Amino acid sequence: MDVNAAVAAAAAIAGVLTGVIAMLAFRWSERDQKRPTRTSLHTDPVLPPGVDTVLSVLRSSAVVLDEADTVVKASSAAYALGLVRGGKLAVEPMLGMARDTRRDGEIRQVELDLPRRGTGRGEALAVSARVAPLGSRLVLLLVEDLTEARRIEAVRRDFVANVSHELKTPVGALSLLSEAVMDASDDPEAVQRFAGRMQIEATRLTNLVQELIDLSRVQNDDPLEDAEPVRVDELVAEAIDRCRHQAGTKQITMAAGGTADLHVWGNRGQLAAALGNLVENAVNYSPARTRVGIAARRVNAPGGDMIELAVTDQGIGITDKDKERIFERFYRVDPARSRATGGTGLGLAIVKHVAASHGGEVTVWSAENQGSTFTLRLPEAGAVRDRASQHPDPDLDDEAGTPESSPYEPLPAPEVLP
């Protein structure tokens, strides 16, 4: 009996100890679960309710910082602009603003110029940064890219300045000529001479106003709203007829050639104005007794066949420096000749906008004292098709997007128009 009692007592004591150990282990585990881990402190920060959703729909780049200046939340645009690197805000002025706002709770805003990511070369990024407190320990940074807005504003300022200058010249000339006519009222020959000059300046002013209207129209209107198939032959004939008088005065031969019976898709009025501007420039910048050619052809392109209209002259040519700017508004390769011919410097800008709005492009090849070739490339009417639904032709795929021959090789035999 004594042995059995001892065994029972030992078993009871072991059971009590096991229960105590189990209870202590359970309490320890429960306490350990409630304790925040280092990972939860740094990877699972708590944003105020709804903030994450709001930040996801903002157009501005958004960055949320905690009290340690660690990035809690950042939009993809913030990474794209290079604002966040390695989990930290990489722009020191913005970081200083965030610290000041965290200290006093004041909202701050500033405009900065930031270097572009990569080499740091090129145009700087213009941004507007706004910092505000978000809750008790977080700071919200919103950054808006102003680069494009500033570029457009600069273009607008230059445009207004150029328009003012171009309008001032003929208006001032008309004013002076009118005074000269009044002073020479007793001299019929002088009156006739001054009146002729007034007509020239009035024509220049009229052309400038009309081209400003045309440029505004092609920039603001959607040409494809009234799009239709347009015969290329008719566009070429209209452009030649428009410049027939100037060409005849300089004894310049105008010739049309290339593929016949082609059609482009677009606004007839705008396409006629674009091609007419190219032909008129070719005539104005060509010496007397030379030749201006207009050729049309079809070329293969990935999205459908394109029509190329090449206008070639034997004029003074264009330098490499000028090629980069000839499509700018009011830019002239030869200002003296432009003023003599009544040029406004808007013709090529109109051509560029018409080509772009019709889904095409305009390019230039030129060599000094050898002439120039302007090529207007436009979608062919009805040529857009789903190539995936056709059986691929390896030879055609290899040549897609490449002209059958260089547009600067000799043109097909032209038909000389009277």
Side-chain angles (χ1 to χ4, degrees), residues 152-371:
I152 293 175
E153 182 61 29
V155 170
R156 184 181 295 111
R157 286 196 306 269
D158 292 342
F159 181 71
V160 171
N162 287 329
V163 168
S164 301
H165 174 74
E166 294 297 330
L167 289 174
K168 182 179 179 181
T169 301
V171 169
L174 287 172
S175 176
L176 293 175
L177 288 170
S178 64
E179 293 179 2
V181 169
M182 294 177 62
D183 295 338
S185 57
D186 296 333
D187 186 350
E189 292 184 3
V191 169
Q192 186 175 5
R193 184 173 67 255
F194 292 143
R197 289 296 307 168
M198 290 177 69
Q199 286 183 342
I200 294 175
E201 295 298 336
T203 301
R204 177 180 299 174
L205 184 59
T206 301
N207 292 339
L208 175 58
V209 173
Q210 184 58 51
E211 290 202 344
L212 286 172
I213 294 173
D214 292 341
L215 180 60
S216 176
R217 183 180 295 117
V218 300
Q219 285 181 318
N220 297 326
D221 294 349
D222 182 2
L224 300 184
E225 288 183 358
D226 302 321
E228 59 179 339
V230 182
R231 285 181 59 88
V232 173
D233 294 340
E234 294 179 358
L235 294 177
V236 173
E238 186 174 337
I240 290 177
D241 188 64
R242 166 178 168 178
C243 305
R244 192 179 302 276
H245 176 70
Q246 298 97 307
T249 302
K250 300 173 66 175
Q251 299 180 4
I252 292 177
T253 301
M254 290 191 295
T259 307
D261 198 27
L262 298 176
H263 294 76
V264 293
W265 183 258
N267 183 291
R268 178 185 174 82
Q270 292 191 14
L271 294 175
L275 183 59
N277 286 343
L278 291 180
V279 176
E280 185 175 14
N281 274 1
V283 172
N284 287 338
Y285 285 89
S286 293
R289 295 179 294 278
T290 55
R291 180 176 177 271
V292 171
I294 307 103
R297 68 174 182 171
R298 180 187 294 111
V299 295
N300 295 330
D305 288 345
M306 304 287 286
I307 302 300
E308 280 190 353
L309 291 163
V311 179
T312 303
D313 63 58
Q314 298 172 322
I316 61 176
I318 305 171
T319 64
D320 292 337
K321 176 177 66 70
D322 289 325
K323 285 179 190 177
E324 301 175 358
R325 302 191 58 189
I326 55 175
F327 294 103
E328 295 180 10
R329 287 168 288 193
F330 297 109
Y331 186 79
R332 299 180 177 92
V333 174
D334 187 348
R337 177 170 297 196
S338 294
R339 294 190 182 280
T341 59
T344 62
L346 292 174
L348 290 180
I350 293 175
V351 175
K352 178 182 177 181
H353 281 287
V354 170
S357 62
H358 281 76
E361 62 177 352
V362 59
T363 57
V364 60
W365 172 92
S366 185
E368 290 188 76
N369 302 318
Q370 296 183 29

Side-chain angles (χ1 to χ4, degrees), residues 80-98:
L81 287 178
L83 304 179
V84 178
R85 297 174 189 171
K88 294 289 185 178
L89 186 61
V91 183
E92 189 61 34
M94 295 181 187
L95 188 59
M97 291 171 58

Side-chain angles (χ1 to χ4, degrees), residues 14-30:
V16 171
L17 291 176
T18 302
V20 171
I21 292 172
M23 183 178 65
L24 291 175
F26 175 77
R27 291 289 182 86
W28 184 269
S29 176
E30 185 179 36

